[in-house]
Amino acid sequence: MLNISGLKEGIVIDHIQPGGAMKIYEYLNLEKMDCQVAIIKNAKSNKMGKKDIIKIEGNLNIDLNVLGVLDHKITINIIKDNKIVGKHLLELPETVTNIIKCKNPRCITSIEQELPHKFKLTNREHRIYRCVYCESKFKGN
């Protein structure tokens, strides 16, 4: 059995779809941060069968709601003094920038590389976002 020690202070991103941890690692730009990060892939889960987990040490100043765009089942645990002191339920943001990329080859973002990829939430119930430039649809997990 693999044993990853607990956190004194930080956050645990839990219930990530199996194989999804690296995508979240990249979206949060964790490689640019000077903190310890543990990525656990294919951990056993009673609820999901298998799941990924990311543990991040220290205080983070990140808008974690963007993770709801990628996977709405993710849970966030806030850790202080080795205890869970809060659970953060993800809410879908109204707009997201450079989190998801427009896949339409005719979109202006394909031609103008420096343009930000902006999406607006158009259907909260079905988690559908649309590109603000070309209206292409993105549906979250």
Side-chain angles (χ1 to χ4, degrees), residues 55-101:
K55 292 183 174 189
I56 308 165
E57 185 181 61
N59 285 327
L60 290 180
N61 198 5
I62 304 173
D63 180 9
L64 297 170
N65 283 322
V66 298
L67 298 180
V69 176
L70 304 174
D71 185 345
H72 73 287
K73 294 178 184 157
I74 289 174
T75 57
I76 312 279
N77 294 318
I78 312 298
I79 312 294
K80 289 204 187 310
D81 297 321
N82 298 312
K83 292 184 183 81
I84 297 174
V85 296
K87 287 191 179 278
H88 184 77
L89 298 173
L90 299 177
E91 292 181 28
L92 291 177
E94 289 298 316
T95 59
V96 290
T97 304
N98 293 330
I99 299 299
I100 44 183
K101 303 239 182 280

Side-chain angles (χ1 to χ4, degrees), residues 20-134:
M22 289 309 295
K23 188 188 302 186
I24 289 167
Y25 181 88
E26 290 168 16
Y27 280 121
L28 293 178
N29 291 312
L30 293 175
E31 74 279 357
K32 294 178 180 163
M33 296 190 178
D34 190 27
C35 58
Q36 287 187 37
V37 177
I39 296 174
I40 303 154
K41 295 182 70 172
N42 296 316
K44 286 184 182 147
S45 167
N46 293 334
K47 193 167 30 169
M48 300 171 64
K50 288 185 176 184
K51 65 180 178 179
D52 287 2
I53 304 167
I54 300 176
K55 292 183 174 189
I56 308 165
E57 185 181 61
N59 285 327
L60 290 180
N61 198 5
I62 304 173
D63 180 9
L64 297 170
N65 283 322
V66 298
L67 298 180
V69 176
L70 304 174
D71 185 345
H72 73 287
K73 294 178 184 157
I74 289 174
T75 57
I76 312 279
N77 294 318
I78 312 298
I79 312 294
K80 289 204 187 310
D81 297 321
N82 298 312
K83 292 184 183 81
I84 297 174
V85 296
K87 287 191 179 278
H88 184 77
L89 298 173
L90 299 177
E91 292 181 28
L92 291 177
E94 289 298 316
T95 59
V96 290
T97 304
N98 293 330
I99 299 299
I100 44 183
K101 303 239 182 280
C102 188
K103 301 216 182 312
N104 178 358
R106 292 192 186 101
C107 182
I108 188 78
T109 58
S110 296
I111 302 154
E112 302 288 336
Q113 300 292 320
E114 67 280 348
L115 261 182
H117 288 256
K118 282 185 90 166
F119 282 76
K120 186 161 187 55
L121 182 63
T122 56
N123 185 321
R124 184 171 297 279
E125 183 182 343
H126 293 104
R127 297 179 321 281
I128 295 173
Y129 283 84
R130 291 197 179 271
C131 175
V132 298
Y133 306 109
C134 74

